[in-house]
Amino acid sequence: MIDLARLQQAQARIADTLSPTPLVLDHPLTERLGRRVWLKGELFQRTGSFKARGALNWLRTAGSEELAGGLGAVSAGNHALGLAWAARQAGVPVTIVMPENASPFKVEGSRELGAEVILHGDINDAWNLMHRLVEERGLTLVHPYDDERIVAGQGTVGLEILEQCPEATTILCPVGGGGLIGGIGVATASLRPSLSLIGVEPAGAASMAHAWARGGPAKLERISTCAKSLAAAIVGEHTYPLSRRNVRELVAVDEAAIHRAMRHLLYRAKLAAEPGAAVGVAALLEAAVALPPEGDVVVVITGGNLGGEELEEFL
């Protein structure tokens, strides 16, 4: 069971290495909405995303038998970077399978951190290969989101937001597999239950909404979005019930809205965020969510790992 104590323990466990990320006031959105809109800058975290939090918490709670054969993971990129970085701190080898359309920037970054990176098919194909490698090589699978230690580490984002923004009444959080919003939800439900936690998904990869409609995790047959960091085909057995318990609403934004939000972040907020990190801003720009009548709004900007060629698509 993931509770507030586990989040607080994770926060203490990683605090010597990972610093809190800042809240940046989005002046144009603040003026547009007539209330303060803060951007939680997880793109400033080590390895360029919030994923380093969960990875480091996982490594620091792992037993020697889990580490003995090396680690394996499937990732569109940010989990790969975070895990490769954390594993290098511990001197543990890592094998990552990424879909063939993974960001070259994230692929090369993971390799530079010492990971073996295998590109294979789409996200479903990547998972199939990883399951085989776990059996053949004796790897320990570190799931990118459906692991309680990962979720607890990601939930430290929520603890920081509540400490940094006592007047927040709404948090908008991007949703892929649900690990981040699952962890944030534990924090908000425990410490500020009146706060509205809203999940935002790309319309072409709305796996959490699909799970809500089906009454449990169910695989999407097709994924189509520029927000590759949110392109999970299925949410987790842990993350699904956490979202149902603590998330007030899910909304979806289309590709055009994500592109507009990317340009807003680049030109107005001066942040080079990746597409998956822009969906919360997209929801505000498109008025896709009904906000509480008062209070500050916090939007989690989950990462900023994109190369020059990818950035050119949004200029």
Side-chain angles (χ1 to χ4, degrees):
M1 183 66 180
I2 306 171
D3 57 14
L4 178 62
R6 290 192 66 179
L7 267 62
Q8 292 169 331
Q9 290 161 6
Q11 187 177 46
R13 189 176 290 120
I14 66 178
D16 66 334
T17 305
L18 297 179
S19 300
T21 55
L23 288 184
V24 178
L25 189 65
D26 188 318
H27 294 283
L29 265 178
T30 293
E31 294 169 5
R32 177 172 178 164
L33 298 181
R35 63 203 301 171
R36 286 179 296 194
V37 177
W38 299 94
L39 308 178
K40 175 62 169 167
E42 285 299 291
L43 75 172
F44 299 124
Q45 190 51 269
R46 293 294 298 267
T47 73
S49 87
F50 71 95
K51 292 286 192 175
R53 297 171 181 265
L56 187 60
N57 187 55
W58 195 98
L59 261 294
R60 289 186 172 176
T61 53
S64 57
E65 69 284 355
E66 291 180 293
L67 304 177
L71 307 179
V74 173
S75 175
N78 284 335
H79 178 59
L81 288 163
L83 185 62
W85 168 79
R88 188 171 70 169
Q89 312 303 305
V92 178
V94 179
T95 301
I96 309 286
V97 182
M98 295 186 183
E100 290 177 353
N101 68 347
S103 159
F105 182 86
K106 294 175 181 177
V107 171
E108 291 309 312
S110 300
R111 286 173 173 158
E112 288 173 4
L113 287 167
E116 176 189 357
V117 177
I118 301 170
L119 300 178
H120 183 70
D122 63 13
I123 193 67
N124 292 322
D125 297 327
W127 271 109
N128 291 335
L129 176 57
M130 175 48 62
H131 288 310
R132 292 201 302 272
L133 292 176
V134 165
E135 294 296 322
E136 293 169 4
R137 300 186 181 184
L139 305 174
T140 296
L141 178 65
V142 183
H143 201 285
Y145 51 86
D146 201 29
D147 181 292
E148 290 189 353
R149 288 176 285 178
I150 294 289
V151 172
Q154 320 305 31
T156 62
V157 175
L159 295 178
E160 286 179 19
I161 290 172
L162 298 181
E163 293 164 1
Q164 294 168 322
C165 194
E167 295 184 33
T169 58
T170 307
I171 297 175
L172 277 75
C173 180
V175 179
L180 177 60
I181 201 167
I184 291 176
V186 172
T188 58
S190 302
L191 298 174
R192 206 175 300 172
S194 62
L195 184 146
S196 294
L197 177 58
I198 299 169
V200 188
E201 299 182 285
S207 53
M208 188 63 79
H210 186 60
W212 282 23
R214 296 291 186 93
K219 185 178 291 185
L220 291 173
E221 293 302 319
R222 183 172 180 271
I223 296 289
S224 179
T225 181
C226 65
K228 295 176 184 177
S229 63
L230 305 181
I234 187 170
V235 301
E237 295 292 339
H238 295 294
T239 62
Y240 167 74
L242 286 172
S243 76
R244 288 303 272 160
R245 188 178 305 127
N246 300 323
V247 176
R248 193 196 80 181
E249 180 184 2
L250 292 173
V251 298
V253 291
D254 63 22
E255 297 297 286
I258 296 171
H259 280 244
R260 285 189 287 271
M262 283 283 293
R263 289 191 287 272
H264 171 91
L265 287 166
L266 281 168
Y267 296 125
R268 307 298 301 280
K270 315 304 181 186
L271 293 180
E274 61 190 84
V279 296
V281 168
L284 292 179
L285 291 173
E286 303 300 311
V289 59
L291 299 172
E294 297 178 335
D296 292 3
V297 178
V298 178
V299 186
V300 185
I301 307 300
T302 47
N305 289 314
L306 72 171
E309 292 182 1
E310 297 166 278
L311 185 59
E312 287 178 1
E313 298 178 26
F314 303 97
L315 299 179

